[in-house]
Amino acid sequence: MTLLLLASACLLAVTLGYVSLCASSPFGSCRKCRGFGYALKIDRRGRLKRGKHCRRCDGLGKRIRVGRHLYNLWLRLYRDGTPTPKHPASKG
C-alpha cells in the first residue's frame, strides 16, 4: 500500500509541476532548432554557420507547450458550448 501511495504522490507532484510550468511559461524552446530559429551548419573549415530558417517554429525559436495547447483547446470547446447570457437592455 505504501508503494502505491508513493507512486501516486510522485505522479501528482509531476503533474502539478507541469501544470504550473505551462501556466507560468506557456512557450518553450523549439526542439528542432533548440531555440535559435534556424538550423546550424558546419562549413568546410569546421566553423558554425547559420543554416536554413526553421519551419517548425517559423524562425521564432519558441513553440507552445503541449499542456498549454491542450488547455487552450479545452477552453475553446467550453466557450463554444456554453451559451452567452442575454443582458436586458438598460433603462436610461
Side-chain angles (χ1 to χ4, degrees):
M1 186 68 175
T2 2
L3 188 60
L4 184 62
L5 238 95
L6 182 64
S8 299
C10 287
L11 185 63
L12 183 67
V14 168
T15 303
L16 290 178
Y18 186 69
V19 166
S20 65
L21 177 69
C22 287
S24 64
S25 175
F27 294 97
S29 295
C30 178
R31 291 186 304 269
K32 186 173 183 183
C33 66
R34 289 172 288 185
F36 287 115
Y38 51 87
L40 291 176
K41 287 180 19 180
I42 298 175
D43 63 358
R44 293 182 189 183
R45 295 184 179 182
R47 293 182 295 192
L48 287 176
K49 189 176 174 185
R50 183 182 177 121
K52 293 168 85 176
H53 180 77
C54 180
R55 292 180 0 187
R56 182 177 283 179
C57 65
D58 198 27
L60 298 175
K62 295 290 183 184
R63 298 262 317 197
I64 194 161
R65 295 187 194 276
V66 174
R68 185 60 182 214
H69 180 70
L70 291 174
Y71 174 73
N72 288 348
L73 288 176
W74 175 80
L75 196 61
R76 188 177 308 133
L77 183 66
Y78 177 77
R79 285 181 182 160
D80 290 346
T82 306
T84 57
K86 302 207 181 221
H87 297 292
S90 62
K91 296 179 182 179

